[in-house]
Amino acid sequence: MPPAPHRPSHRHRRWLRPAALAAAALTAWTAAPATAAPPLPDTARPAPCFRIDTLKVPGAAHQQASCLTELTTAGTVASGHTDPADWAGLTPAGLATPTGVPGIQIDGYFPDTSTTNTNHGWNHDSQFVIRLPDRWNGGLVVSGAPGVREQYANDRAFGDWAVSHGYAFAATDKGATGAAFHRDGEAPGDALAEGNHRVTQLTRAARQVVARRYHRPPTRTLAMGMSNGGYLVRWQLENHPELYDGGVDWEGTLWRTEGPNLLTFLPPALLHYPSYAAGGAGAEQAHRAMKAAGYPAGSEFLWPFHHQYYWDLTQRIYREELDPGFDGATEAGTPFCAPGTPACDADYVYADRPKEVRKAVAKIALTGRIGKPLISFHGTYDVLLPISRSSDVYAQLVKREGRGHLHRYYRVEAGTHVDSLADTFPGRVRPLVPCHRSAATALERWLDHGVRPPSSRTLRLPAGADAGKLLTYCPLTG
């Protein structure tokens, strides 16, 4: 990448946040087509949306409310009220789409000066979506986008589930999107920390919108998210438990100042995988090094895909956000550089970096001090955020802080980071979306009836289960 001595990274504050905000959002980059949702229709759809004009989102700089006959992706794709590129690859192809959910959708954005999100031609970050089904169950689900995706990224994974079960649903793009998200903010770590602020901001605003729409506040507010969004759930329950009744964390990313974190386990993959893939005398030693870095035996069939699409890009853009000085004037390193070349991310050693890098990570670090019930689940074949270096560690943090009674953690055998790989490797990769459904139901029973979910455990891959059954099968007692 050409030198960029006057790059905008960390030079100009592009978003508004309280001085007390001190944490952040990360997770895996998941590539999606660079298309944007079309402009929203100017005319309302026919549906019984009484006094839609009175629904104002507090603090929004712009909003547009629409009356829709279908709030799920069965209708919002055609009407332009979602963007399939946002959720491409995150769910298995055979995932059923619920229908028959009329209601109101509000799209808009909060004040922000960065412009990476081009949805609807707005070219404005901090975009959000709020969906208000006509048949409401009294609850609200709030989420932040995974990776560097936009506000519609969770629509298939659990947005459809939420509105079809009667929940109001709200989601945010976290304030900066795309592979150059690290250009946002004034200092290292700011762009990631903004995500936490944006989820808090949207939760407060959405609760008021819900109260206005249904003439009473929500009786239950749940945080849900996957990957980077799962991290956001953890951070919210640690820092703003007063806003939520509980949360579901789907393979959330772990940031710890002293590690482990993404910058400690991705560089070894970049360093050793090429030698493993090449075979020959060094292959076995490289294989041992990969396993030592957290990449489990049995997951090797997933390594080529992740080397090509995930490890390199994820390391470079998140390292640039937290440690821009590593490669000097170069922005986000050199793709697929050979070890030993100057400022190569394959040679990156987090422990050897200056204390300023840890200060940046401290803005986004998790503690485990959750204040409300949390159900976490993570696939044992996740080779982007290896389970032994992420959720296993977070579960121990929660216990160490004396909050284990608020947490249930399920290790899902053969689950990986994105469910589309269950289509690529049927029977070898277990989709995680059914585990979300089980976790959400268990959380509801926990909150409504005091029925604690089954103890934390590994959910074994059912012997002889076919791919079709796995799309609906994930009991927490497995």
Side-chain angles (χ1 to χ4, degrees), residues 26 38 43 55 154 156 230 276 309 320 338 382 388 391 432 447:
L26 159 88
T43 57
L55 299 178
N154 292 318
R156 286 286 288 144
Y276 167 76
Y309 293 106
E320 183 71 16
D382 189 332
S388 65
S391 290
L432 295 180
L447 297 176

Side-chain angles (χ1 to χ4, degrees), residues 111-132:
D112 197 341
T113 58
S114 57
T115 60
T116 60
N117 190 339
T118 61
N119 268 327
H120 312 304
W122 290 340
N123 299 321
H124 199 290
D125 290 341
S126 299
Q127 290 192 36
F128 61 82
V129 58
I130 300 174
R131 297 193 176 102
L132 306 164

Side-chain angles (χ1 to χ4, degrees), residues 20-398:
L21 182 65
L26 159 88
T27 182
W29 159 260
T30 39
T35 58
L40 289 171
D42 293 328
T43 57
R45 300 274 174 173
C49 299
F50 180 65
R51 299 186 67 183
I52 189 174
D53 58 311
T54 67
L55 299 178
K56 306 298 181 185
V57 180
H62 176 78
Q63 72 167 69
Q64 183 168 332
S66 303
C67 193
L68 303 179
T69 56
E70 185 61 74
L71 288 179
T72 74
T73 54
T76 54
V77 172
S79 70
H81 289 84
T82 188
D83 181 2
D86 279 8
W87 33 266
L90 295 181
T91 55
L95 179 64
T97 305
T99 60
V101 188
I104 295 170
Q105 175 162 320
I106 305 174
D107 293 273
Y109 52 79
F110 292 109
D112 197 341
T113 58
S114 57
T115 60
T116 60
N117 190 339
T118 61
N119 268 327
H120 312 304
W122 290 340
N123 299 321
H124 199 290
D125 290 341
S126 299
Q127 290 192 36
F128 61 82
V129 58
I130 300 174
R131 297 193 176 102
L132 306 164
D134 288 349
R135 293 180 292 276
W136 183 50
N137 71 2
L140 168 66
V141 170
V142 183
S143 68
V148 293
R149 296 178 185 239
E150 297 162 351
Q151 69 270 25
Y152 303 116
N154 292 318
D155 281 3
R156 286 286 288 144
F158 43 82
D160 282 353
W161 174 90
V163 296
S164 67
H165 281 71
Y167 284 96
F169 177 74
T172 171
D173 68 2
K174 307 191 303 292
T177 64
F181 79 95
H182 49 78
R183 294 178 178 176
D184 198 10
E186 184 178 69
D190 279 359
L192 291 176
E194 182 181 4
N196 293 315
H197 164 62
R198 295 302 178 186
V199 173
T200 303
Q201 179 184 45
L202 179 61
T203 301
R204 289 172 171 155
R207 286 171 60 88
Q208 294 187 52
V209 171
V210 165
R212 180 72 174 180
R213 168 65 174 132
Y214 302 109
H215 306 293
R216 61 182 175 92
T219 56
R220 175 194 299 147
T221 301
L222 305 179
M224 293 184 182
M226 66 164 69
S227 193
N228 194 20
Y231 160 84
L232 295 168
V233 172
R234 297 172 177 179
W235 191 94
Q236 294 295 319
L237 296 190
E238 289 182 7
N239 292 275
H240 287 290
E242 76 282 358
L243 294 177
Y244 307 92
D245 296 283
V248 176
D249 153 32
W250 176 338
E251 67 194 14
T253 307
L254 177 68
W255 284 109
R256 293 287 290 163
T257 305
E258 298 304 322
N261 61 51
L262 184 144
L263 300 182
T264 67
F265 55 72
L266 281 183
L270 298 178
L271 179 63
H272 298 294
Y273 174 76
S275 296
Y276 167 76
E284 182 55 35
Q285 181 178 354
H287 187 242
R288 289 195 298 269
M290 289 286 292
K291 290 192 293 183
Y295 301 90
S299 69
E300 290 88 350
F301 68 98
L302 295 167
W303 294 0
F305 175 85
H306 285 77
H307 178 257
Q308 183 176 0
Y309 293 106
Y310 283 87
W311 293 336
D312 178 77
L313 179 62
T314 304
Q315 163 65 22
R316 288 187 293 103
I317 63 177
Y318 285 100
R319 192 271 307 151
E320 183 71 16
E321 162 66 2
L322 295 160
D323 189 1
F326 176 73
D327 56 358
T330 303
E331 184 177 6
T334 303
F336 298 101
C337 55
T341 58
C344 180
D345 275 279
D347 296 322
Y348 187 82
V349 180
Y350 177 79
D352 294 344
R353 299 302 297 153
K355 63 181 180 180
E356 287 76 17
V357 179
R358 287 169 181 76
K359 288 182 179 179
V361 175
K363 296 179 181 180
I364 61 175
L366 293 169
T367 65
R369 291 191 292 272
I370 56 174
K372 288 293 173 64
L374 173 66
I375 298 179
S376 302
F377 60 93
H378 200 128
T380 61
Y381 279 2
D382 189 332
V383 293
L384 180 59
L385 303 178
I387 191 171
S388 65
R389 301 298 187 268
S390 48
S391 290
D392 285 0
V393 178
Y394 188 69
Q396 291 302 312
L397 287 177
V398 173

Side-chain angles (χ1 to χ4, degrees), residues 412-415 427-431 458-465 470 473:
V412 185
E413 187 176 32
R428 301 182 72 185
V429 169
R430 181 177 187 172
T458 296
L459 306 181
R460 300 296 179 187
L461 185 68
L470 291 177
Y473 184 84

